[in-house]
Short mmCIF file of all heavy atoms in Angstrom, two decimals:
data_model
loop_
_atom_site.label_atom_id
_atom_site.label_comp_id
_atom_site.label_asym_id
_atom_site.label_seq_id
_atom_site.Cartn_x
_atom_site.Cartn_y
_atom_site.Cartn_z
N ASP A 1 113.18 -94.95 -140.55
CA ASP A 1 112.20 -93.88 -140.45
C ASP A 1 111.35 -94.07 -139.18
O ASP A 1 111.61 -94.94 -138.36
CB ASP A 1 111.35 -93.83 -141.72
CG ASP A 1 110.53 -95.08 -141.97
OD1 ASP A 1 110.27 -95.86 -141.01
OD2 ASP A 1 110.13 -95.30 -143.13
N SER A 2 110.34 -93.22 -139.03
CA SER A 2 109.53 -93.25 -137.82
C SER A 2 108.76 -94.55 -137.67
O SER A 2 108.32 -94.89 -136.55
CB SER A 2 108.56 -92.06 -137.82
OG SER A 2 107.73 -92.11 -138.98
N ALA A 3 108.57 -95.28 -138.73
CA ALA A 3 107.86 -96.56 -138.69
C ALA A 3 108.83 -97.73 -138.47
O ALA A 3 108.40 -98.90 -138.42
CB ALA A 3 107.05 -96.77 -139.95
N GLY A 4 110.12 -97.45 -138.38
CA GLY A 4 111.10 -98.52 -138.19
C GLY A 4 111.56 -99.17 -139.46
O GLY A 4 112.26 -100.19 -139.40
N GLU A 5 111.20 -98.62 -140.61
CA GLU A 5 111.62 -99.16 -141.91
C GLU A 5 112.88 -98.45 -142.38
O GLU A 5 113.20 -97.34 -141.92
CB GLU A 5 110.51 -99.01 -142.93
CG GLU A 5 109.18 -99.64 -142.55
CD GLU A 5 109.29 -101.14 -142.37
OE1 GLU A 5 110.08 -101.78 -143.09
OE2 GLU A 5 108.57 -101.68 -141.50
N ILE A 6 113.64 -99.08 -143.26
CA ILE A 6 114.84 -98.48 -143.78
C ILE A 6 114.54 -97.12 -144.43
O ILE A 6 113.66 -97.01 -145.28
CB ILE A 6 115.54 -99.38 -144.81
CG1 ILE A 6 116.08 -100.64 -144.12
CG2 ILE A 6 116.69 -98.64 -145.49
CD1 ILE A 6 116.65 -101.65 -145.11
N ASP A 7 115.24 -96.08 -143.98
CA ASP A 7 115.14 -94.76 -144.58
C ASP A 7 116.19 -94.68 -145.68
O ASP A 7 117.38 -94.44 -145.42
CB ASP A 7 115.39 -93.69 -143.48
CG ASP A 7 115.19 -92.27 -144.01
OD1 ASP A 7 115.45 -92.01 -145.18
OD2 ASP A 7 114.82 -91.41 -143.18
N ALA A 8 115.74 -94.89 -146.89
CA ALA A 8 116.69 -94.99 -148.02
C ALA A 8 117.43 -93.67 -148.24
O ALA A 8 118.65 -93.66 -148.48
CB ALA A 8 115.94 -95.38 -149.28
N ALA A 9 116.73 -92.54 -148.14
CA ALA A 9 117.37 -91.25 -148.42
C ALA A 9 118.46 -90.93 -147.39
O ALA A 9 119.57 -90.49 -147.76
CB ALA A 9 116.31 -90.15 -148.43
N LEU A 10 118.16 -91.15 -146.11
CA LEU A 10 119.16 -90.84 -145.09
C LEU A 10 120.31 -91.83 -145.09
O LEU A 10 121.46 -91.46 -144.89
CB LEU A 10 118.49 -90.81 -143.70
CG LEU A 10 119.37 -90.34 -142.53
CD1 LEU A 10 120.14 -89.06 -142.87
CD2 LEU A 10 118.56 -90.19 -141.26
N THR A 11 119.99 -93.11 -145.34
CA THR A 11 121.09 -94.11 -145.46
C THR A 11 122.00 -93.74 -146.62
O THR A 11 123.23 -93.82 -146.51
CB THR A 11 120.50 -95.51 -145.65
OG1 THR A 11 119.68 -95.84 -144.52
CG2 THR A 11 121.61 -96.53 -145.81
N ALA A 12 121.42 -93.31 -147.73
CA ALA A 12 122.22 -92.88 -148.88
C ALA A 12 123.09 -91.69 -148.53
O ALA A 12 124.25 -91.58 -148.97
CB ALA A 12 121.31 -92.56 -150.06
N ARG A 13 122.56 -90.79 -147.71
CA ARG A 13 123.33 -89.63 -147.28
C ARG A 13 124.55 -90.06 -146.46
O ARG A 13 125.63 -89.48 -146.60
CB ARG A 13 122.43 -88.68 -146.48
CG ARG A 13 123.11 -87.42 -146.03
CD ARG A 13 122.14 -86.50 -145.33
NE ARG A 13 122.79 -85.36 -144.69
CZ ARG A 13 122.17 -84.45 -143.94
NH1 ARG A 13 120.87 -84.56 -143.76
NH2 ARG A 13 122.83 -83.48 -143.38
N ILE A 14 124.37 -91.04 -145.60
CA ILE A 14 125.48 -91.55 -144.79
C ILE A 14 126.56 -92.14 -145.72
O ILE A 14 127.76 -91.86 -145.58
CB ILE A 14 125.01 -92.62 -143.79
CG1 ILE A 14 124.00 -92.03 -142.81
CG2 ILE A 14 126.19 -93.26 -143.06
CD1 ILE A 14 124.52 -90.93 -141.96
N VAL A 15 126.15 -92.97 -146.66
CA VAL A 15 127.09 -93.58 -147.60
C VAL A 15 127.80 -92.50 -148.43
O VAL A 15 129.02 -92.57 -148.64
CB VAL A 15 126.37 -94.58 -148.54
CG1 VAL A 15 127.30 -95.10 -149.63
CG2 VAL A 15 125.80 -95.74 -147.72
N ASP A 16 127.05 -91.50 -148.86
CA ASP A 16 127.65 -90.42 -149.66
C ASP A 16 128.75 -89.72 -148.86
O ASP A 16 129.83 -89.41 -149.41
CB ASP A 16 126.57 -89.42 -150.02
CG ASP A 16 127.11 -88.20 -150.73
OD1 ASP A 16 127.56 -88.33 -151.87
OD2 ASP A 16 127.12 -87.11 -150.11
N GLY A 17 128.52 -89.49 -147.57
CA GLY A 17 129.54 -88.83 -146.74
C GLY A 17 130.79 -89.66 -146.59
O GLY A 17 131.91 -89.13 -146.60
N ILE A 18 130.62 -90.97 -146.46
CA ILE A 18 131.78 -91.86 -146.33
C ILE A 18 132.59 -91.88 -147.61
O ILE A 18 133.81 -91.79 -147.63
CB ILE A 18 131.33 -93.29 -145.92
CG1 ILE A 18 130.66 -93.26 -144.54
CG2 ILE A 18 132.50 -94.26 -145.95
CD1 ILE A 18 130.00 -94.57 -144.18
N ALA A 19 131.88 -91.97 -148.74
CA ALA A 19 132.55 -91.98 -150.04
C ALA A 19 133.26 -90.65 -150.30
O ALA A 19 134.39 -90.62 -150.78
CB ALA A 19 131.57 -92.28 -151.15
N ALA A 20 132.61 -89.55 -149.97
CA ALA A 20 133.18 -88.23 -150.21
C ALA A 20 134.44 -88.02 -149.36
O ALA A 20 135.33 -87.24 -149.78
CB ALA A 20 132.16 -87.14 -149.87
N ALA A 21 134.55 -88.71 -148.25
CA ALA A 21 135.74 -88.58 -147.39
C ALA A 21 136.92 -89.39 -147.90
O ALA A 21 138.00 -89.32 -147.34
CB ALA A 21 135.39 -89.03 -145.96
N GLY A 22 136.70 -90.17 -148.95
CA GLY A 22 137.78 -90.94 -149.54
C GLY A 22 138.02 -92.31 -148.94
O GLY A 22 139.07 -92.91 -149.19
N ILE A 23 137.07 -92.82 -148.16
CA ILE A 23 137.23 -94.13 -147.57
C ILE A 23 137.31 -95.16 -148.71
O ILE A 23 136.51 -95.15 -149.63
CB ILE A 23 136.07 -94.46 -146.60
CG1 ILE A 23 136.03 -93.44 -145.47
CG2 ILE A 23 136.17 -95.87 -146.06
CD1 ILE A 23 137.31 -93.34 -144.65
N HIS A 24 138.27 -96.05 -148.62
CA HIS A 24 138.61 -96.90 -149.76
C HIS A 24 137.54 -97.95 -150.10
O HIS A 24 137.30 -98.22 -151.30
CB HIS A 24 139.92 -97.66 -149.45
CG HIS A 24 140.99 -96.75 -148.92
ND1 HIS A 24 141.21 -96.57 -147.56
CD2 HIS A 24 141.91 -95.98 -149.54
CE1 HIS A 24 142.20 -95.71 -147.38
NE2 HIS A 24 142.65 -95.35 -148.56
N ASN A 25 136.92 -98.49 -149.10
CA ASN A 25 135.99 -99.63 -149.28
C ASN A 25 134.80 -99.42 -148.36
O ASN A 25 134.96 -99.30 -147.14
CB ASN A 25 136.72 -100.93 -148.92
CG ASN A 25 135.84 -102.16 -149.10
OD1 ASN A 25 134.95 -102.21 -149.95
ND2 ASN A 25 136.09 -103.18 -148.28
N ILE A 26 133.59 -99.36 -148.93
CA ILE A 26 132.39 -99.19 -148.16
C ILE A 26 131.70 -100.56 -148.04
O ILE A 26 131.37 -101.19 -149.05
CB ILE A 26 131.44 -98.17 -148.77
CG1 ILE A 26 132.12 -96.79 -148.81
CG2 ILE A 26 130.13 -98.08 -147.98
CD1 ILE A 26 131.32 -95.71 -149.49
N VAL A 27 131.51 -101.00 -146.79
CA VAL A 27 130.88 -102.28 -146.53
C VAL A 27 129.42 -102.01 -146.21
O VAL A 27 129.09 -101.28 -145.28
CB VAL A 27 131.55 -103.03 -145.37
CG1 VAL A 27 130.87 -104.38 -145.12
CG2 VAL A 27 133.03 -103.23 -145.67
N THR A 28 128.52 -102.64 -146.97
CA THR A 28 127.10 -102.47 -146.77
C THR A 28 126.51 -103.76 -146.20
O THR A 28 126.79 -104.84 -146.71
CB THR A 28 126.38 -102.05 -148.07
OG1 THR A 28 124.99 -101.89 -147.82
CG2 THR A 28 126.59 -103.04 -149.20
N GLY A 29 125.76 -103.63 -145.13
CA GLY A 29 125.17 -104.81 -144.49
C GLY A 29 126.11 -105.45 -143.47
O GLY A 29 125.97 -106.61 -143.14
N GLY A 30 127.09 -104.70 -142.98
CA GLY A 30 127.96 -105.21 -141.95
C GLY A 30 127.29 -105.11 -140.59
O GLY A 30 126.13 -104.71 -140.48
N ASN A 31 128.03 -105.45 -139.54
CA ASN A 31 127.43 -105.40 -138.22
C ASN A 31 127.04 -104.00 -137.78
O ASN A 31 126.02 -103.82 -137.11
CB ASN A 31 128.38 -106.03 -137.18
CG ASN A 31 128.38 -107.53 -137.26
OD1 ASN A 31 127.42 -108.14 -137.68
ND2 ASN A 31 129.47 -108.16 -136.82
N THR A 32 127.82 -102.97 -138.17
CA THR A 32 127.41 -101.61 -137.87
C THR A 32 126.16 -101.22 -138.61
O THR A 32 125.42 -100.34 -138.19
CB THR A 32 128.57 -100.62 -138.21
OG1 THR A 32 129.76 -101.05 -137.54
CG2 THR A 32 128.24 -99.22 -137.78
N GLY A 33 125.85 -101.93 -139.69
CA GLY A 33 124.62 -101.73 -140.43
C GLY A 33 123.49 -102.59 -139.94
O GLY A 33 122.41 -102.62 -140.55
N GLU A 34 123.69 -103.33 -138.83
CA GLU A 34 122.65 -104.16 -138.20
C GLU A 34 122.21 -105.35 -139.05
O GLU A 34 121.04 -105.68 -139.12
CB GLU A 34 121.46 -103.31 -137.78
CG GLU A 34 121.82 -102.19 -136.82
CD GLU A 34 120.64 -101.28 -136.43
OE1 GLU A 34 119.71 -101.79 -135.75
OE2 GLU A 34 120.67 -100.10 -136.82
N PHE A 35 123.20 -106.02 -139.65
CA PHE A 35 122.91 -107.13 -140.57
C PHE A 35 121.94 -108.15 -139.96
O PHE A 35 120.99 -108.56 -140.65
CB PHE A 35 124.23 -107.83 -140.92
CG PHE A 35 124.07 -109.03 -141.81
CD1 PHE A 35 123.93 -108.88 -143.18
CD2 PHE A 35 124.06 -110.32 -141.27
CE1 PHE A 35 123.79 -110.01 -144.02
CE2 PHE A 35 123.92 -111.43 -142.08
CZ PHE A 35 123.79 -111.27 -143.46
N TYR A 36 122.17 -108.54 -138.75
CA TYR A 36 121.36 -109.63 -138.20
C TYR A 36 119.98 -109.21 -137.73
O TYR A 36 119.17 -110.08 -137.40
CB TYR A 36 122.14 -110.33 -137.06
CG TYR A 36 123.25 -111.18 -137.58
CD1 TYR A 36 124.57 -110.76 -137.54
CD2 TYR A 36 122.98 -112.43 -138.16
CE1 TYR A 36 125.59 -111.54 -138.06
CE2 TYR A 36 123.99 -113.22 -138.69
CZ TYR A 36 125.29 -112.77 -138.62
OH TYR A 36 126.30 -113.55 -139.14
N SER A 37 119.68 -107.94 -137.71
CA SER A 37 118.31 -107.50 -137.41
C SER A 37 117.54 -107.17 -138.67
O SER A 37 116.35 -106.82 -138.61
CB SER A 37 118.31 -106.29 -136.47
OG SER A 37 118.82 -105.16 -137.11
N LEU A 38 118.18 -107.26 -139.82
CA LEU A 38 117.54 -107.05 -141.10
C LEU A 38 117.06 -108.36 -141.70
O LEU A 38 117.68 -109.41 -141.50
CB LEU A 38 118.50 -106.38 -142.09
CG LEU A 38 119.07 -105.02 -141.69
CD1 LEU A 38 120.17 -104.62 -142.66
CD2 LEU A 38 117.98 -103.96 -141.67
N THR A 39 115.97 -108.35 -142.45
CA THR A 39 115.59 -109.52 -143.22
C THR A 39 116.48 -109.66 -144.43
O THR A 39 117.21 -108.70 -144.79
CB THR A 39 114.12 -109.37 -143.70
OG1 THR A 39 114.05 -108.32 -144.67
CG2 THR A 39 113.17 -109.09 -142.55
N VAL A 40 116.47 -110.82 -145.05
CA VAL A 40 117.28 -111.00 -146.26
C VAL A 40 116.88 -109.99 -147.32
O VAL A 40 117.75 -109.40 -148.00
CB VAL A 40 117.12 -112.45 -146.76
CG1 VAL A 40 117.75 -112.58 -148.16
CG2 VAL A 40 117.78 -113.44 -145.81
N ASP A 41 115.59 -109.76 -147.49
CA ASP A 41 115.14 -108.78 -148.48
C ASP A 41 115.66 -107.38 -148.14
O ASP A 41 116.01 -106.62 -149.06
CB ASP A 41 113.62 -108.77 -148.58
CG ASP A 41 113.06 -110.00 -149.28
OD1 ASP A 41 113.84 -110.70 -149.94
OD2 ASP A 41 111.84 -110.26 -149.15
N GLU A 42 115.68 -107.03 -146.87
CA GLU A 42 116.19 -105.72 -146.46
C GLU A 42 117.68 -105.61 -146.74
O GLU A 42 118.17 -104.54 -147.16
CB GLU A 42 115.90 -105.47 -145.00
CG GLU A 42 114.44 -105.14 -144.69
CD GLU A 42 114.19 -104.94 -143.22
OE1 GLU A 42 114.73 -105.73 -142.40
OE2 GLU A 42 113.43 -104.04 -142.85
N VAL A 43 118.42 -106.66 -146.48
CA VAL A 43 119.85 -106.66 -146.78
C VAL A 43 120.10 -106.40 -148.27
O VAL A 43 120.95 -105.57 -148.65
CB VAL A 43 120.53 -107.98 -146.36
CG1 VAL A 43 121.97 -108.05 -146.86
CG2 VAL A 43 120.51 -108.13 -144.83
N ILE A 44 119.35 -107.07 -149.09
CA ILE A 44 119.51 -106.89 -150.54
C ILE A 44 119.13 -105.47 -150.97
O ILE A 44 119.81 -104.86 -151.80
CB ILE A 44 118.67 -107.96 -151.29
CG1 ILE A 44 119.28 -109.35 -151.05
CG2 ILE A 44 118.59 -107.65 -152.79
CD1 ILE A 44 118.42 -110.49 -151.56
N ARG A 45 118.09 -104.94 -150.35
CA ARG A 45 117.71 -103.55 -150.68
C ARG A 45 118.79 -102.59 -150.21
O ARG A 45 119.13 -101.62 -150.91
CB ARG A 45 116.38 -103.21 -149.98
CG ARG A 45 115.89 -101.81 -150.29
CD ARG A 45 114.63 -101.43 -149.58
NE ARG A 45 114.27 -100.05 -149.87
CZ ARG A 45 113.70 -99.23 -148.99
NH1 ARG A 45 113.42 -99.66 -147.75
NH2 ARG A 45 113.39 -98.00 -149.32
N LEU A 46 119.36 -102.84 -149.04
CA LEU A 46 120.42 -101.98 -148.51
C LEU A 46 121.61 -101.93 -149.45
O LEU A 46 122.22 -100.87 -149.66
CB LEU A 46 120.83 -102.48 -147.14
CG LEU A 46 121.64 -101.56 -146.24
CD1 LEU A 46 120.83 -100.34 -145.85
CD2 LEU A 46 122.10 -102.30 -144.99
#
């Protein structure tokens, strides 16, 4: 979001689009998800 915190609603929208497209396996907290710039608590929330 504008404060630099995880935008849960928009992130959920991205995941929803991937799932709706039939992608077999959704990886959460991977490098495209910026794993190493997230705190451990943020990874768990993600």
Side-chain angles (χ1 to χ4, degrees):
D1 61 22
S2 58
E5 303 298 326
I6 293 175
D7 184 329
L10 186 49
T11 300
R13 182 176 171 185
I14 297 299
V15 173
D16 175 70
I18 296 170
I23 300 302
H24 313 92
N25 179 31
I26 298 176
V27 180
T28 180
N31 283 335
T32 306
E34 301 179 66
F35 177 82
Y36 285 102
S37 69
L38 300 171
T39 67
V40 169
D41 287 344
E42 285 178 319
V43 170
I44 292 171
R45 182 182 177 217
L46 195 64

